Amino acid sequence: MLEHQIKNIELSLFANGTERKGEEEAWKVQPSDSAKNCRNFIREIVDNLDLEPNPEKPVIALSIGDPTVYGNLPQADETIKAVVKILEEGSCNGYAPSVGYEDSRRAVAEYLSHDGVEVDKKDVVLCSGCSSSLELCITALACANKKQNILIPRPGFPIYRTLAESIGVAVKYYNLLPEKDWEVDLYHLESQIDQYTAAIVLNNPSNPCGSVFSRKHLSDILELAYRRRIPVIADEIYEQLVFPGKKFASTASLHSQVPILICGGLAKRFLVPGWRLGWIVVHDEINAFQNIRKALVSLSQRTIGSNTLIQGALPAILRNTPQSFHDDLINTLRKHAEIAFEGLKQAKGMSPYMPEGTMYMVVEVQMNRFPKFTNGLDFVQKLMEEESVFLLPGDCFQIPGFMRIVLTVPENLLKEACSRICEFCNRNYV
């Protein structure tokens, strides 16, 4: 009994710090290398901006690639009903196989089987959004211990760099050519390949450029990848989201003999980014990905699969959403692109690039004609201060001197934003 009381006193003294050894040394737990290497490059840039809007003008944000923000682009009724039905049934509240329900994977395979492509459910892995799909693909193909790198587009979305560098994999950039509708500079791409290159990341249709590659250009890229024996990660989250006069071609439809991991999901085309339902399709005509298939299954087991509620609704969403819904969305985005293109052409020192699809437009700024601003970040900050309009600077996408605007805002706000941008440019242009 006495021994027990003494022990309690010792524990109490230690808890109060009176008998703690080395008390002068603070206890600091260090984060892992993966945590320290994980950086959100858009946030790093934006958070360093002193964004104070003009109090006399309501803020119009043309910066966030979330089509649901303003509520002007509703989901299809069929999409909502599919989720409600599964929720009421209560049939998808437990764990699913880590790669996804079989019926859901079959539905994705059917959805993506067109233009001469036949996808099998065994080729599909469901993930927690397209970002998760990309993470699994990069992790499966590239290894820090081997000093490997992946090639990513410039301009391009910074998530590729975030995902790679967080696991110690280096990134190298290949250029897109604005004078050729943002096609890949094939000579530069090949020059970036070295003995440590594990994959080429290909984003088509493109964020931020809004470009859509032709079958010929895709074929040229894949021919290079085949010749150099480099697998491809194809980010096709904007598949089919192309304007009239252009046609989307999946990398799988080229039958290039290149092993490809295709990433996609519901987020953009079905207007539900927060539902976090993405997929990977293993396209492998030469049976080069046997071990990669196993690796993807193993990696998917880390989170025990994606959202089962949305998985359960997935077959109905993909099969029942009418084409008219997709057509209406494309027509709206095309109209908004035309409004922004014509509106911003009136701004001195600005050159908009008409997109061919997606939800974005890239605008070049002649910074030498705006000597009051030291760089694009300063330009964006002053635009917010004077006109309460926020654009993402091209620095976020590795292209200083450009801006990206989002086309999903309501038409009246888009017109107002373009008018304010024009006033700002014409006022400050020298």
Side-chain angles (χ1 to χ4, degrees), residues 147-346:
K147 300 181 181 180
Q148 287 182 307
N149 63 70
I150 62 171
L151 306 188
I152 64 177
R154 178 173 54 204
F157 197 58
I159 189 68
Y160 314 127
R161 181 182 173 189
T162 298
L163 297 174
E165 291 186 347
S166 69
I167 60 171
V169 171
V171 300
K172 299 176 71 175
Y173 293 96
Y174 64 86
N175 293 333
L176 306 183
L177 301 170
E179 67 275 16
K180 292 189 175 182
D181 296 324
W182 303 103
E183 286 188 345
V184 174
D185 183 336
L186 295 172
Y187 296 103
H188 187 247
L189 170 61
E190 185 158 18
S191 73
Q192 297 300 90
I193 297 173
D194 60 28
Q195 60 181 320
Y196 301 111
T197 300
I200 298 170
V201 176
L202 184 63
N203 179 211
N204 177 55
S206 166
N207 174 14
C209 305
S211 55
V212 180
F213 294 154
S214 68
R215 291 183 65 87
K216 171 63 167 60
H217 188 56
L218 279 173
S219 181
D220 290 341
I221 297 169
L222 294 175
E223 189 278 329
L224 188 160
Y226 181 79
R227 177 164 42 84
R228 298 300 299 268
R229 296 299 191 267
I230 308 293
V232 167
I233 299 173
D235 181 358
E236 297 183 357
I237 186 61
Y238 295 98
E239 53 92 20
Q240 303 295 344
L241 205 57
V242 301
F243 299 160
K246 299 296 292 188
K247 181 174 174 57
F248 167 73
S250 173
T251 49
S253 70
L254 275 294
H255 302 291
S256 63
Q257 304 296 300
V258 175
I260 305 170
L261 298 179
I262 300 172
C263 299
L266 290 181
K268 307 300 183 178
R269 194 178 185 220
F270 292 84
L271 303 175
V272 287
W275 288 9
R276 312 311 299 145
L277 198 294
W279 53 70
I280 300 168
V281 172
V282 180
H283 178 73
D284 181 18
E285 297 169 318
I286 58 175
N287 207 26
F289 271 164
Q290 290 184 36
N291 293 330
I292 296 302
R293 287 178 183 272
K294 296 174 183 177
L296 291 172
V297 173
S298 297
L299 290 169
S300 72
Q301 292 169 348
R302 293 184 304 180
T303 56
I304 321 181
S306 60
N307 186 314
T308 55
L309 177 63
I310 307 304
Q311 278 193 53
L314 191 57
I317 292 172
L318 296 178
R319 292 166 182 159
N320 298 341
T321 301
Q323 183 60 41
S324 59
F325 167 80
H326 300 301
D327 292 342
D328 288 345
L329 174 60
I330 288 172
N331 289 335
T332 297
L333 293 173
R334 171 60 185 265
K335 182 179 181 182
H336 286 196
E338 291 172 341
I339 289 171
F341 184 75
E342 293 301 323
L344 295 177
K345 281 200 305 185
Q346 311 307 313

